[in-house]
Structure formats: C-alpha cells, structure tokens
Amino acid sequence: MRSLFTIGLIAAWYSSNIGVLLLNKFLLSNYGFKYPIFLTLCHMLACSLLSYIAVEWLKIAPLQRVRSRLQMLKISALGIIFCLSVVGGNISLRYLPVSFNQAVGATTPFFTAVFAVVMTGKREGWVTYVTLIPVVTGVIIASGGEPLFHLFGFIMCIGATAARALKSVLQGILLSSEGEKLNSMNLLMYMAPIAVIVLFPAAIYMEQDVTGITVALARDDWKFLLYLLFNSALAYFVNLANFLVTKHTSPLTLQVLGNAKGAVAVVISILIFKNPVSVTGMLGYSLTVAGVVLYTEAKKRNM
C-alpha cells in the first residue's frame, strides 16, 4: 500500500512539473499571452494563498515561525532571487522550445558547483568536476544544433538557471543555523508574498495595460481564464509534490527522478508543439543529461 502511495506521489510530481511547463509554453507562445511577468505574478499569488492553506489549515507541514527581522531579511533575499529565476524561465519560454529550455535548465549542477566554490569555498572531488564537462559541452552542442535558437531567450534561460542555483546555495548559507532552517513548504509560504510585492509593480510598469488585456481575454474566451487559474494552481502543486516526494523518498531520489523528468518533458513537448529538432540538438541534450546523471552518482559517492 505504501509503495502504491509513493508511486502515486511520483506520478503527481511528474504530471505537475511537466504540466506547468507545457501550459506556460502554450500560454506565452502558442496562445499569444505575451506577459511572462504577469504570469509569474499569478503563480506567486496562487503559491501565497495555497501554501498558507496547506501549512496553517491542512497541516501538511508543521508551521515554522520567523524568529527575527534578520531571518525575514534573509528570506526576502531568497524570495527575490527565486522570483527572478521563475520570471527568467517564463520569459525564455516565449522564445525557445521546451526541449531546448530543458537542455539549458539541466546545467543547474554546473552553476551550483561554481557558486558553492565562490561563496563558501566548498570544493568537491575532482571526479565530480569532471562530470560537469559533458553537462556544459552538451548544451553548447545543443545550442549549435537548435533550429529555433534565440539569443535573448537563451540568455534569459541561462540567467534563470543560474538564479535557481544561486538560491539553492544561498539558502544553505543564510538559513544554516538550526533555529533558522525552514522546510520547503514554510519557505515558499514566506517567499511567495515577497515575490508578489516585487512582481506587481514590475508587471504594471513593464507590461503596460496587462490587467486590462487579461480581463478582455477572459471575457472573450472563458477557457483562457480556466487555463490561467489551472496553470497558477499547478505552479503551487509542483512545490507541494516536490516536498511530499522528498519526504516519502529522499532528496537523491528526487534528483534522479528530475533527470528523467527533463527527458520526458522534451519528448512530450516535441509531440505536442511539433517544434523541429535536429540530430545534433538531441545528441547535445543527451550528453547533458548523461553528465547530470554522472554528477549525481559522483556526489552520492562523496557523501
């Protein structure tokens, strides 16, 4: 019975992860809703509300209180970086196919290793660093073979990937003491409202008349509102599924599943969006995934 529950959790994690990625691409590119900052704002509003309900009412995770103003400042810094990573990822989806977006996103271990050395001085064994060579090489090959390569989209995707890695390293530094450590559900509950505060003026200023356009689209096509609400809720359930899978398996299992998830997302996106792919691009992506798998194994042996 327990194994069935775990399989169900993993299936929910896969579905929510891939679903939100494909829906983001559909809304921002195929549907023509070209407002990635506002879309991220909707995601963060949903995360603010649903994480509060999950922690305060449903008790999915034990409530952890913020103990000091300094801790809140640290959480705010993480919230802003988290916000930048999500916005950058959504902007990149306007210009890049999901397959290439996932290839670039797979380089997260490379940026994590770089930031860990620069910010903490923590060094891994030489084998771990060697495994990062195919990770980066694969993306370079995939970039050269990507028929729909877009420089600005690529820069935003790299920026989002780096921000995601920076948030991970900073979280370990800023919330390192036992009294300050927060589980992912509580951290999201505190970070999401901060992201809303940052994103709201940014969306109003940078995406002019976005609220009026959104209302007009919802009036013209009720399905658009359904897509937006479902997409926003799904963005929260990605984080919830992450937390539950980690709780009932292990962080390492989540890493392994994440490697496979990227490949599944690539195949599904190509089938749905019919974006052209080259043999060179797929070879590059395969090399990157292989590098990430080797990196995970090397890290596991050094633990």
Side-chain angles (χ1 to χ4, degrees):
M1 193 70 181
R2 182 176 172 80
S3 61
L4 283 175
F5 177 72
T6 305
I7 291 168
L9 277 180
I10 292 170
W13 181 76
Y14 262 74
S15 301
S16 58
N17 262 276
I18 295 172
V20 77
L21 184 67
L22 297 179
L23 261 175
N24 284 349
K25 177 63 178 176
F26 173 72
L27 286 170
L28 293 168
S29 185
N30 296 63
Y31 194 88
F33 184 71
K34 299 177 180 179
Y35 303 100
I37 299 175
F38 184 80
L39 182 63
T40 309
L41 173 62
C42 293
H43 290 178
M44 292 302 106
L45 282 167
C47 287
S48 299
L49 175 63
L50 294 175
S51 59
Y52 179 82
I53 292 171
V55 175
E56 284 276 10
W57 295 359
L58 301 180
K59 310 296 182 184
I60 288 174
L63 177 64
Q64 297 170 293
R65 299 286 184 189
V66 175
R67 300 189 176 189
S68 66
R69 184 178 294 179
L70 178 60
Q71 187 185 9
M72 193 66 231
L73 285 172
K74 292 176 180 179
I75 293 169
S76 299
L78 291 173
I80 291 168
I81 295 167
F82 172 65
C83 173
L84 291 173
S85 72
V86 179
V87 170
N90 284 341
I91 291 174
S92 74
L93 284 171
R94 270 195 64 190
Y95 302 97
L96 299 175
V98 172
S99 53
F100 188 58
N101 176 280
Q102 288 293 285
V104 177
T107 61
T108 301
F110 168 77
F111 290 103
T112 304
V114 170
F115 287 132
V117 171
V118 172
M119 301 178 73
T120 69
K122 181 183 176 183
R123 297 182 183 277
E124 304 287 350
W126 67 270
V127 175
T128 305
Y129 291 119
V130 168
T131 62
L132 292 172
I133 295 172
V135 172
V136 177
T137 305
V139 169
I140 293 170
I141 293 170
S143 301
E146 175 53 53
L148 300 177
F149 181 83
H150 190 285
L151 181 59
F152 178 70
F154 176 70
I155 291 169
M156 294 308 298
C157 198
I158 285 285
T161 305
R164 193 158 52 244
L166 178 61
K167 183 248 174 191
S168 175
V169 173
L170 273 178
Q171 187 174 329
I173 298 170
L174 297 179
L175 304 178
S176 57
S177 69
E178 285 302 318
E180 289 186 329
K181 283 182 180 177
L182 298 172
N183 63 48
S184 59
M185 285 292 93
N186 278 269
L187 186 59
L188 181 65
M189 184 176 70
Y190 293 120
M191 286 195 311
I194 293 163
V196 169
I197 292 168
V198 172
L199 288 168
F200 184 77
I204 298 300
Y205 178 73
M206 299 176 71
E207 299 176 337
Q208 293 181 0
D209 201 29
V210 65
T211 50
I213 292 167
T214 304
V215 170
L217 280 171
R219 283 176 179 169
D220 292 341
D221 183 4
W222 64 270
K223 287 186 291 185
F224 166 72
L225 186 60
L226 191 65
Y227 290 143
L228 193 59
L229 290 172
F230 181 66
N231 179 247
S232 300
L234 208 56
Y236 168 72
F237 283 108
V238 167
N239 294 280
L240 177 61
N242 272 350
F243 172 75
L244 291 175
V245 170
T246 305
K247 180 181 177 182
H248 290 277
T249 57
S250 69
L252 188 61
T253 301
L254 192 73
Q255 275 189 318
V256 173
L257 290 170
N259 297 338
K261 184 266 297 179
V264 173
V266 167
V267 173
I268 293 175
S269 70
I270 291 169
L271 292 173
I272 291 175
F273 297 114
K274 304 288 192 295
N275 56 282
V277 289
S278 66
V279 174
T280 306
M282 290 309 295
L283 282 174
Y285 178 68
S286 299
L287 183 60
T288 295
V289 172
V292 172
V293 171
L294 291 172
Y295 173 82
T296 304
E297 285 297 313
K299 288 276 287 182
K300 185 168 65 174
R301 290 177 184 179
N302 287 335
M303 287 174 69

